[in-house]
């Protein structure tokens, strides 16, 4: 859990930095490419290619392509047809995808994890619900693809590390994750990038470097590491905490308007979902012990 909380704080700052310095000013494909390229450079010196299960390495390439390739390319494009409140509203569905995908890959169904994810989604909607206007179907679909692939990437990494245990430390093969992301991010920039919208200021370059080093390289590493230390329900709920965390950062630093009552109520509901998930785990263990005793 500490890893996931730390990354949530880092990503909370990232949303504000993107909105202040990059959105609409720097080409989105270039921004994604820079994030992935910097992260890859951080891990490549430590990366091993031999004496590791090829399915593990291939899975990390796939996870990277999904979680940082497809996800971020869709996310940035959604801003062209949606307002920021609409984007935040439509991203609250990620916990549902995490729960369903984790259960699907494990060939099981945990209703309590799904209920807890649903409670967390409710909290996110309370915080970020706004009246939706205009033609938003394309943006909604783009964000559902982004939500699903972001969930799939983290669930896939979690399942791979459980299925193919190795004595090799995670940092020695995590570079494969970002190499997989580059497979999509580089061609996307070459095909669709706008050279007229490359970074022009020191602040823009600084934000890109910060995003690459902390939000992407260390952030994803800690998130994947943390995901292996919690159950699927907790992981799903942690995907929702970026909403109140991001709003708090925005409010404190940039003094953006925020409904404090909705923020407090929605945050309380999200925290309550952790209790629902813990209760479900306890009941599940009791039922398993009762079945074994019977």
């Amino acid at each position: 859990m500490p890893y996931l909380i730390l990354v949530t704080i880092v990503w909370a700052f990232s949303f504000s930095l993107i909105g202040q310095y990059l959105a609409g000013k720097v080409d989105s494909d270039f921004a994604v490419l820079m994030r992935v390229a910097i992260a890859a450079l951080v891990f490549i010196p430590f990366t091993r290619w031999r004496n590791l299960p090829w399915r593990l390495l291939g899975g990390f390439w796939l996870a990277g392509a999904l979680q940082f390739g497809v996800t971020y390319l869709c996310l940035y494009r959604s801003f062209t047809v949606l307002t920021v409140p609409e984007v935040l509203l439509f991203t609250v569905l990620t916990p549902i995808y995490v729960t369903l995908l984790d259960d699907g890959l494990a060939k099981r169904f945990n209703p309590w994890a799904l209920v807890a994810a649903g409670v967390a989604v409710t909290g996110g909607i309370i915080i970020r619900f706004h009246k939706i206007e205009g033609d938003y179907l394309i943006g909604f679909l783009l964000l559902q693809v982004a939500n699903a692939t972001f969930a799939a990437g983290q669930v896939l990494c979690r399942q791979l590390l459980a299925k193919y245990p190795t004595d090799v430390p995670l940092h020695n093969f995590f570079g494969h994750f970002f190499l997989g992301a580059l497979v999509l991010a580089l061609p996307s920039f070459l095909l669709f990038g706008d050279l007229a919208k490359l970074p022009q200021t020191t602040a823009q370059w600084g934000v890109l470097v910060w995003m690459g080093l902390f939000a992407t390289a260390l952030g994803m590493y800690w998130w994947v590491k943390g995901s292996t230390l919690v159950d699927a329900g907790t992981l799903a709920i942690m995907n929702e905490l970026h909403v109140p965390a991001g709003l708090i950062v925005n409010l404190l630093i940039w003094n953006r308007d925020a409904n404090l009552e909705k923020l407090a109520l929605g945050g309380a509901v999200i925290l309550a979902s952790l209790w629902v998930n813990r209760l479900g785990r306890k009941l599940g263990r009791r039922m398993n012990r009762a079945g074994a005793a019977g």
Side-chain angles (χ1 to χ4, degrees), residues 15-46:
F15 282 111
S16 293
L17 290 173
I18 291 173
Q20 288 291 318
Y21 297 102
L22 302 181
K25 302 169 186 175
V26 176
D27 177 67
S28 60
D29 290 289
F30 181 78
V32 173
L33 177 61
M34 281 296 297
R35 290 182 65 170
V36 174
I38 291 172
L41 289 174
V42 169
F43 284 98
I44 282 177
F46 309 103

Side-chain angles (χ1 to χ4, degrees), residues 30-67:
F30 181 78
V32 173
L33 177 61
M34 281 296 297
R35 290 182 65 170
V36 174
I38 291 172
L41 289 174
V42 169
F43 284 98
I44 282 177
F46 309 103
T47 300
R48 291 190 186 181
W49 294 82
R50 298 179 179 179
N51 301 321
L52 285 164
W54 68 270
R55 292 182 183 274
L56 175 64
L57 297 186
F60 265 71
W61 278 66
L62 175 60
L66 289 172
Q67 200 166 350

Side-chain angles (χ1 to χ4, degrees), residues 58-282:
F60 265 71
W61 278 66
L62 175 60
L66 289 172
Q67 200 166 350
F68 256 94
V70 179
T71 296
Y72 279 85
L73 293 174
C74 289
L75 176 64
Y76 278 92
R77 280 165 172 75
S78 71
F79 280 96
T80 64
V81 291
L82 294 176
T83 64
V84 172
E86 288 169 352
V87 170
L88 290 170
L89 172 61
F90 292 150
T91 58
V92 301
L93 298 176
T94 303
I96 299 295
Y97 291 108
V98 170
T99 301
L100 293 176
L101 287 169
D102 190 79
D103 283 348
L105 288 175
K107 297 180 180 180
R108 65 168 186 267
F109 176 66
N110 181 357
W112 280 100
L114 184 59
V115 169
V119 173
V121 167
T122 301
I125 292 175
I126 289 172
I127 294 170
R128 288 310 307 170
F129 183 77
H130 286 257
K131 182 179 179 181
I132 298 172
E133 300 175 339
D135 183 11
Y136 58 88
L137 179 59
I138 293 176
F140 175 80
L141 294 176
L142 281 171
L143 277 177
Q144 296 325 296
V145 173
N147 290 339
T149 52
F150 188 75
Q154 56 187 301
V155 169
L156 180 57
C157 286
R158 184 172 181 271
Q159 295 281 350
L160 286 167
L161 291 172
K163 189 174 182 180
Y164 302 103
T166 174
D167 294 331
V168 178
L170 179 61
H171 69 270
N172 285 133
F173 59 90
F174 199 66
H176 294 281
F177 178 92
F178 295 112
L179 291 174
L182 279 174
V183 169
L184 290 182
L186 179 58
S188 181
F189 171 69
L190 295 176
L191 291 172
F192 306 111
D194 184 356
L195 296 179
K197 295 183 69 175
L198 295 183
Q200 300 296 320
T201 68
T202 302
Q204 290 172 342
W205 280 109
V207 169
L208 285 174
V209 172
W210 188 91
M211 295 291 293
L213 287 176
F214 296 99
T216 306
L218 294 178
M220 285 309 307
Y221 175 76
W222 288 333
W223 190 265
V224 170
K225 191 175 181 67
S227 73
T228 64
L229 304 176
V230 299
D231 60 278
T234 300
L235 178 62
I237 293 164
M238 292 303 299
N239 273 272
E240 201 62 53
L241 284 181
H242 74 276
V243 178
L247 279 175
I248 290 171
V249 169
N250 226 344
L251 179 65
L252 293 178
I253 298 180
W254 280 279
N255 298 314
R256 293 292 181 86
D257 293 333
N259 189 318
L260 296 181
E261 292 181 358
K262 290 173 64 177
L263 178 60
L265 178 59
V269 172
I270 293 173
L271 291 176
S273 67
L274 289 169
W275 176 82
V276 172
N277 183 62
R278 179 172 294 182
L279 176 63
R281 291 172 60 193
K282 288 182 178 179

